[in-house]
Amino acid sequence: MLLTSMPSGSTITTDPAWRGRITLFVLGLILLWPMLVMTEFKPWELMDAQSLNATWRFLIAFFPPAHSTEFLLIVATATWQTIAMASAGMALAMIAAIPLTLIINEHLSISRIGLRRMSWPAMLIRQTIRWVLVLLRSVPELVWALLFVRIVGLGPTAGVLAIALTYAGMLGKVYAEILETSDPLATDTLLQNGCSRLTAFFYGALPNAAAELTSYTIYRWECAIRGSVVMGFVGAGGLGQRMDESLKMLSGAEVSTMLLVFVVLVAIADSVSKLFRKGLAT
């Protein structure tokens, strides 16, 4: 910081990096502008009279939220179906992701102990698994859901399979990165003393990364709930399918009830994540 004396005896603070910050800001705007033009981004259209009238009619239809007993029972069933779809998909994703993580994790490589480098067959296997994970997470769950709806028909099965495939790729990649950025000292010590990969994982790598792994897993479960709602729009069941039906019937009150349930679900997931992190930190 440069301090410049003022006539009254006070000083002003000048950021020495202000030129660089302004240059980066201008460069960012220059790069962003063609993207906004390509996407035909015209936010001012929201402010014309027709758009404002449509927005007002849409919003007032949300109040009061639908609260008849019959509708709430339907929402409760759909909510449970959404939670079940997200949880089952996540469970299958973890079953696939954990072994793949153990394979690609370089800290658990026995071949690098001693010479501190991996053998070429080990590198080939790890790179192949990494490409499998790239393939799984490259296709969005909505696209997987559309494919599975055509294979297994309408219903939550398509959603569960879509979440399982996409999230296996995401979990495998991030689990491996979390484990590889943790302190390798305990893992290396166990491997150098003849322990197996699993022993080194459970007693060396896992304790160091347990809080971060748990937090990310619960965050992904929260994403799976949101994803299962979106997949309901293509026939995968749950809250999304009910919301799609209500939107087509222009029933804003029913939509607002389901949106409130959705907010509560995300808040519960956030609380569970905080609870687990606190428990692991103590």
Side-chain angles (χ1 to χ4, degrees), residues 42-56:
K42 299 173 182 175
W44 52 87
E45 291 183 353
L46 291 172
M47 303 308 292
D48 64 34
Q50 187 177 356
S51 298
L52 289 174
N53 285 332
T55 303
W56 176 249

Side-chain angles (χ1 to χ4, degrees), residues 183-254:
D183 186 0
L185 178 62
T187 307
D188 286 354
T189 304
L190 289 168
L191 290 175
Q192 286 167 352
N193 283 281
C195 292
S196 66
R197 291 170 62 91
L198 277 179
T199 304
F201 170 70
F202 282 115
Y203 294 99
L206 188 58
N208 284 331
E212 200 172 350
L213 290 171
T214 303
S215 178
Y216 181 74
T217 303
I218 295 174
Y219 167 70
R220 270 296 149 202
W221 178 68
E222 178 189 320
C223 294
I225 290 177
R226 288 200 296 267
S228 62
V229 172
V230 174
M231 285 184 287
F233 283 81
V234 297
L239 270 179
Q241 194 162 337
R242 292 292 174 189
M243 194 177 292
D244 182 43
E245 293 168 2
S246 297
L247 283 171
K248 286 175 180 172
M249 292 187 296
L250 301 177
S251 178
E254 293 182 0

Side-chain angles (χ1 to χ4, degrees), residues 84-159:
M85 193 193 313
S87 303
M90 274 295 294
L92 291 177
M94 290 176 67
I95 289 172
I98 290 173
L100 297 178
T101 301
L102 296 181
I103 293 173
I104 65 174
N105 188 346
E106 294 182 6
H107 284 182
L108 296 174
S109 171
I110 295 177
S111 61
R112 74 180 177 86
I113 298 297
L115 296 175
R116 309 297 298 176
R117 63 184 182 186
M118 286 184 288
S119 60
W120 70 265
M123 292 178 64
L124 180 63
I125 292 172
R126 284 183 176 82
Q127 194 57 41
T128 304
I129 299 296
R130 286 183 189 278
W131 279 109
V132 170
L133 295 176
V134 169
L135 173 66
L136 290 176
R137 67 175 183 273
S138 296
V139 181
E141 63 260 45
L142 187 61
V143 177
W144 282 122
L146 282 167
L147 293 173
F148 283 119
V149 161
R150 279 150 182 78
I151 296 171
V152 300
L154 297 174
T157 303

Side-chain angles (χ1 to χ4, degrees), residues 27-110:
L27 284 175
L29 284 180
I30 292 172
L31 290 173
L32 180 62
W33 181 251
M35 299 177 196
L36 293 175
V37 172
M38 184 177 291
T39 54
E40 299 181 359
F41 184 65
K42 299 173 182 175
W44 52 87
E45 291 183 353
L46 291 172
M47 303 308 292
D48 64 34
Q50 187 177 356
S51 298
L52 289 174
N53 285 332
T55 303
W56 176 249
R57 288 198 303 273
F58 185 68
L59 288 178
I60 60 173
F62 275 39
F63 301 98
H67 55 277
S68 68
T69 305
E70 183 183 0
F71 179 70
L72 291 179
L73 284 174
I74 292 172
V75 170
T77 305
T79 303
W80 178 242
Q81 198 173 52
T82 298
I83 294 172
M85 193 193 313
S87 303
M90 274 295 294
L92 291 177
M94 290 176 67
I95 289 172
I98 290 173
L100 297 178
T101 301
L102 296 181
I103 293 173
I104 65 174
N105 188 346
E106 294 182 6
H107 284 182
L108 296 174
S109 171
I110 295 177

